[in-house]
Amino acid sequence: MKFAVLVFPGSNCDIDCYKAVEDSLGEPVDYVWHTATDLSAYDCILVPGGFSYGDYLRCGAISRFAPVMAEVAKAAEQGKFVLGICNGFQILTEAGLLPGALRRNMSMKFRCHDTVLKVVNNTTPFTIDYAKDEEIVIPIAHGEGNYYCDEETLAELQANNQIVFTYSDNPNGSVADIAGVSNVAGNVVGMMPHPERAANSLLGSEDGKRMFTSILKTWRDRYDAASIR
């Protein structure tokens, strides 16, 4: 399995994502610059956190026009795995690959600390190694993590099981305590907390590591099923 870690001007969690894949899975992983126009070699695309383009205009609002995002949309449509973390989540919502939007934290302050998440949906390619309703410790680091959607969209998210994670103690004012959502197909997930910063006990938690092992396990199951056919 091959991973791509996208790099925009201002990305600062790209190395963390790269090391999480390298250390947790030992699978091939490349940094891919925002000007890339071909992601066909990759099975999973990671859109990391940071301050892409300085968060000018609005978080993710400029990055969504980068050439590589057309390829991310194509990969998502093909059923490949796409994970957006923090600023990556913001980029995916701006690009229309995930519903909703991220606004300023209710406190109007940058929040950087561990959070307890509940795994609401453990059937996505990113969460199969978790138990449903399991509580995990994953850090946050954001100023614009307040997830918002209208009532109609929220009802759709709930009906389609697209809410992947919720906060046990909402740190930013997100509607319905939402910390992460998926697209309808489940192959695209965005979340504000940083699983790559909880992939090793030296970091204080290994709870994020299972997101990466889940991806690999799902891919292998698909590959094995395809080879049988």
Side-chain angles (χ1 to χ4, degrees):
M1 184 178 189
K2 195 165 186 179
F3 289 76
V5 176
L6 303 190
V7 183
F8 298 90
S11 295
N12 66 9
C13 298
D14 44 338
I15 296 175
D16 304 66
C17 285
Y18 187 103
K19 295 300 291 183
V21 172
E22 187 177 57
D23 294 346
S24 299
L25 306 178
E27 295 292 311
V29 54
D30 293 329
Y31 294 114
V32 177
W33 195 234
H34 64 111
T35 54
T37 56
D38 185 4
L39 293 176
S40 60
Y42 300 100
D43 305 294
C44 180
I45 295 96
L46 303 179
V47 191
F51 303 91
S52 60
Y53 294 94
D55 280 349
Y56 290 115
L57 299 183
R58 189 173 59 250
C59 298
I62 299 177
S63 296
R64 61 91 69 238
F65 292 106
V68 75
M69 290 307 298
E71 297 304 303
V72 174
K74 186 186 299 183
E77 187 175 345
Q78 293 170 344
K80 294 186 177 183
F81 308 140
V82 179
L83 175 61
I85 301 169
C86 200
N87 187 228
F89 186 12
Q90 296 161 342
I91 293 169
L92 293 181
T93 59
E94 290 286 340
L97 293 176
L98 289 173
L102 282 307
R103 308 188 298 183
R104 286 285 294 169
N105 294 345
M106 192 72 73
S107 65
M108 301 301 289
K109 296 179 180 180
F110 188 90
R111 300 293 297 270
C112 183
H113 52 77
D114 283 344
T115 57
V116 178
L117 304 182
K118 183 169 80 170
V119 181
V120 179
N121 181 355
N122 71 330
T123 65
T124 77
F126 309 89
T127 55
I128 61 169
D129 275 349
Y130 297 104
K132 181 172 173 53
D133 296 332
E134 179 179 355
E135 290 192 336
I136 59 177
V137 177
I138 306 289
I140 59 167
H142 59 248
E144 292 84 17
N146 181 356
Y147 182 81
Y148 173 79
C149 64
D150 58 28
E151 291 184 4
E152 181 180 354
T153 301
L154 178 59
E156 291 175 356
L157 291 175
Q158 292 168 334
N160 296 326
N161 201 24
Q162 289 176 252
I163 299 174
V164 182
F165 299 107
T166 56
Y167 297 107
S168 295
D169 185 11
N170 194 331
N172 48 41
S174 291
V175 65
D177 299 326
I178 290 173
V181 300
S182 74
N183 63 348
V184 174
N187 66 304
V188 180
V189 163
M191 59 189 297
M192 287 310 298
H194 287 266
E196 80 283 7
R197 296 185 183 180
N200 190 297
S201 59
L202 291 174
L203 300 174
S205 172
E206 288 188 334
D207 287 350
K209 182 176 181 177
R210 281 180 284 162
M211 286 202 71
F212 298 97
T213 59
S214 293
I215 296 169
L216 181 58
K217 183 179 292 185
T218 304
W219 180 82
R220 283 177 172 166
D221 288 345
R222 287 188 182 182
Y223 182 81
D224 290 343
S227 64
I228 291 173
R229 287 197 298 270

